[in-house]
Amino acid sequence: MKIAGWRNLCVYGLAIGLCQPLAGCSDDAAQPANITEVAAGSEPSHAAISADAPLVIAFGDSLYAGYQLGPKEGLAPQLQEVLGKNGVEVQVHNAGVSGDTTAAGLQRLRFVLDHADRKPALLMLGLGGNDMLRGIGPAQTRANLETILDELARRDIPVLMTGMMAPPNLGAAYRAEFDAIFPELAKRKGVTLYPFILDQVVTDPQLMLADHIHPNAQGVTVMAEALAPLVTQALPQTADSASQRRAGPP
């Protein structure tokens, strides 16, 4: 991953956002109606997907939810589109809720899993950014994420975790403790990690919304294309199964 740009360029837009209670994400804070909707996987898809296609749940915050984007521009529909073009047929359900902290995600995790129409083949976990923006201690963030990972392990659901990185203005000590959460948990819990969800996006103004915190549709495309190979690796039978479905019985 080319993540050095985040540290070297000191992305001021995100740093400025840290001085506020994440206005962009907080405006769309989770509500029960939204949770029910995302649990049902209501995100429109670009193409018809087989009923038996593997289910991928994208469980995260506004970076997953598609903040200020159209219904086909968020991470779930774009990732499903990229995978489909690569011959990997999966159904990606949007379970992102803007404003979610790791604590809020932990509270709704079982509801989302229990109300999915089938057991997910993979869960993408993208939480922690709002904890950082709200000044929640890294120890609490780590504990919540670990509990989420333990619940997913108990249900035998593979995980692809997308990490977050703290900006320089939070201080070296905080950055060191926060940034270590994701690689340490991924290694200890044996889950796949994409170290920084906004890698190759946050340093390019052409890929970000005016708030300098959230990606625009083009930025999400970059994210989806970067994540697709990891999703494919986490679903080793997906490509073969999709090819067989398209080809039909011998």
Side-chain angles (χ1 to χ4, degrees):
M1 304 290 176
K2 297 180 180 179
I3 56 179
W6 166 256
R7 299 185 184 279
N8 296 335
L9 296 179
C10 298
V11 185
Y12 294 112
L14 186 53
I16 291 172
L18 291 164
C19 300
Q20 310 172 49
L22 191 57
C25 290
S26 300
D27 288 345
D28 294 330
Q31 297 183 14
N34 291 338
I35 295 175
T36 302
E37 184 175 325
V38 296
S42 60
E43 189 78 39
S45 60
H46 286 217
I49 299 295
S50 301
D52 62 341
L55 173 64
V56 176
I57 293 181
F59 186 86
D61 51 31
S62 59
L63 299 179
Y64 277 30
Y67 176 74
Q68 289 192 354
L69 300 178
K72 296 182 179 181
E73 294 177 339
L75 183 59
Q78 289 214 49
L79 179 59
Q80 181 172 298
E81 177 92 348
V82 172
L83 288 166
K85 289 179 178 178
N86 292 338
V88 181
E89 184 183 37
V90 296
Q91 191 171 41
V92 184
H93 283 186
N94 179 7
V97 174
S98 293
D100 252 16
T101 59
T102 55
L106 177 58
Q107 289 178 348
R108 69 183 177 94
L109 176 67
R110 290 186 179 181
F111 180 92
V112 170
L113 296 176
D114 290 345
H115 287 77
D117 60 6
R118 61 193 182 279
K119 180 180 176 180
L122 178 70
L123 184 136
M124 296 173 58
L125 177 61
L127 294 170
N130 285 316
D131 292 45
M132 174 189 66
L133 292 168
R134 297 176 183 183
I136 295 172
Q140 186 60 55
T141 299
R142 179 189 298 269
N144 291 334
L145 287 173
E146 183 165 11
T147 303
I148 290 173
L149 292 173
D150 286 345
E151 175 65 17
L152 293 167
R154 186 184 72 81
R155 295 178 183 241
D156 194 28
I157 299 173
V159 179
L160 166 57
M161 183 164 57
T162 56
M164 178 55 67
M165 300 179 72
N169 70 322
L170 289 182
Y174 182 94
R175 288 171 59 196
E177 187 176 359
F178 182 87
D179 291 0
I181 292 173
F182 303 94
E184 189 276 329
L185 281 178
K187 181 178 181 180
R188 184 154 54 86
K189 299 296 182 178
V191 303
T192 304
L193 175 67
Y194 184 78
F196 182 36
I197 184 61
L198 291 173
D199 183 30
Q200 304 180 58
V201 176
V202 74
T203 54
D204 186 346
Q206 299 296 319
L207 300 178
M208 299 293 289
L209 294 177
D211 64 7
H212 304 294
I213 297 175
H214 300 90
N216 58 27
Q218 290 177 297
V220 174
T221 300
V222 173
M223 292 161 53
E225 290 176 345
L227 287 166
L230 291 179
V231 173
T232 302
Q233 291 170 16
L235 300 167
Q237 302 304 314
T238 298
D240 291 342
S241 298
S243 297
Q244 291 170 6
R245 278 194 292 270
R246 285 194 295 272

